[in-house]
Amino acid sequence: MGSISDVMAGAASAYEAAKAETAKETTKTTGNYGKMIGKAKLSEEGAKYYEELKKKYSNMDFVLVSKDMKDYAKQNASSFGNPNRMVVLIDEEKIERMATDEEFRAKYEGLISQAQAKMPQLQAAMQTKPGIKTIGMQVGDNGKASFFAVMSKSNTDMTKKLQEKRAEKKAAEKAEAKKEAKKEQLEKLREGHGSDEIPEDEEDVEILMADSVEELFKKIDDFNFALRADSVLSPQEMTVGQSIDFKG
């Protein structure tokens, strides 16, 4: 029979071996996870589960977010816009826990399933409501999902039509005045940047956030109503180019 010290040594050796194996299994590496924001890293188990998750909800566009970029993620949602698919922003920490915790997985997959069930409504909204570039969801830390819509402030159909109508009714003098004003503005920008380089115009968008799809639709309608109100022709603009001065 071996001594107690031999038994303890054997137990310690087994413990160290198990510890090393566990560390090996949970080592996280950067891989080809598809669309990402930040430099996300997943364990082998996490990466395997993430691939399964994307296949399970194949009609949704998943974007993996690194843990340090969660707050920043929704600001870049427009980069992953797809008019026919919902964007799902999910961070690496949740993927890792979903891979190993069945209760946690069921809870968050339930949120994704609820959003998936709303896909017909979301697709209809993207076809019928003007100005929508992207609709998506962000899986939150509070056990809830938030929904977002990336709205174009300058490229909606109704805005284009109103701008065309306004342009047709403007007199040549007014157009020239705008041209001079723009020239002055560019000169001020050059002075401010200390060079002749003017930064390229970024697309003018606004991101609407909501706790439910229904609330998101209301915010989209409110946004478009406000945009229409800001863009409508004034009585003075309506008369520009419509009268002739016979006194000259």
Side-chain angles (χ1 to χ4, degrees):
M1 183 180 291
S3 64
I4 295 177
S5 60
D6 290 337
V7 174
M8 291 181 66
S13 177
Y15 171 76
E16 290 300 327
K19 184 178 178 181
E21 187 64 26
T22 301
K24 181 180 178 182
E25 289 176 356
T26 57
T27 298
K28 295 182 181 181
T29 57
T30 301
N32 183 17
Y33 308 130
K35 297 177 180 178
M36 289 193 298
I37 295 177
K39 297 180 179 179
K41 294 182 178 181
L42 295 176
S43 66
E44 184 177 341
E45 189 173 8
K48 181 181 178 182
Y49 167 71
Y50 186 50
E51 287 304 312
E52 292 172 354
L53 184 69
K54 290 192 290 184
K55 287 179 182 178
K56 184 175 182 178
Y57 301 99
S58 58
N59 63 336
M60 306 173 94
D61 270 354
F62 281 81
V63 180
L64 185 63
V65 182
S66 61
K67 61 183 178 181
D68 60 325
M69 300 288 278
K70 288 190 288 186
D71 293 334
Y72 181 76
K74 62 179 177 289
Q75 299 174 22
N76 286 268
S78 58
S79 301
F80 303 99
N82 189 321
N84 300 311
R85 293 155 67 90
M86 172 181 269
V87 174
V88 181
L89 303 177
I90 189 165
D91 64 87
E92 58 184 335
E93 291 178 316
K94 287 188 185 61
I95 290 297
E96 288 293 349
R97 187 171 173 186
M98 290 168 76
T100 57
D101 186 331
E102 291 186 8
E103 185 177 348
F104 189 83
R105 179 193 311 168
K107 181 178 183 178
Y108 280 91
E109 282 195 10
L111 294 176
I112 298 171
S113 294
Q114 289 174 19
Q116 186 184 51
K118 300 284 186 180
M119 283 295 292
Q121 288 177 259
L122 295 168
Q123 289 174 336
M126 285 188 273
Q127 296 296 325
T128 59
K129 296 180 186 293
I132 301 175
K133 289 182 63 62
T134 307
I135 284 182
M137 68 174 288
Q138 184 171 23
V139 181
D141 294 327
N142 56 356
K144 297 181 179 179
S146 57
F147 296 87
F148 64 85
V150 180
M151 304 295 297
S152 173
K153 297 169 73 174
S154 58
N155 292 321
T156 62
D157 291 339
M158 65 180 178
T159 305
K160 284 182 179 179
K161 291 176 182 178
L162 287 167
Q163 287 175 338
E164 289 171 2
K165 187 175 181 181
R166 183 180 284 117
E168 290 173 0
K169 293 181 179 296
K170 284 181 180 178
E173 292 82 3
K174 192 168 184 177
E176 185 65 26
K178 284 188 69 177
K179 185 177 179 180
E180 290 298 320
K182 186 175 182 180
K183 184 178 178 181
E184 290 178 9
Q185 185 180 18
L186 288 174
E187 288 175 355
K188 288 180 181 179
L189 280 171
R190 289 193 181 96
E191 291 174 3
H193 285 273
S195 70
D196 291 335
E197 266 189 48
I198 302 300
E200 293 183 9
D201 291 338
E202 294 184 359
E203 187 175 6
D204 197 8
V205 299
E206 184 166 333
I207 298 176
L208 308 178
M209 299 293 298
D211 292 328
S212 68
V213 170
E214 291 73 22
E215 182 186 0
L216 184 66
F217 286 167
K218 184 179 185 306
K219 287 191 174 184
I220 290 172
D221 290 338
D222 290 345
F223 174 86
N224 282 330
F225 179 82
L227 186 64
R228 189 184 304 113
D230 290 340
S231 303
V232 71
L233 295 173
S234 67
Q236 291 79 8
E237 289 175 319
M238 291 290 287
T239 59
V240 171
Q242 299 301 305
S243 59
I244 301 175
D245 188 356
F246 292 98
K247 294 181 181 179

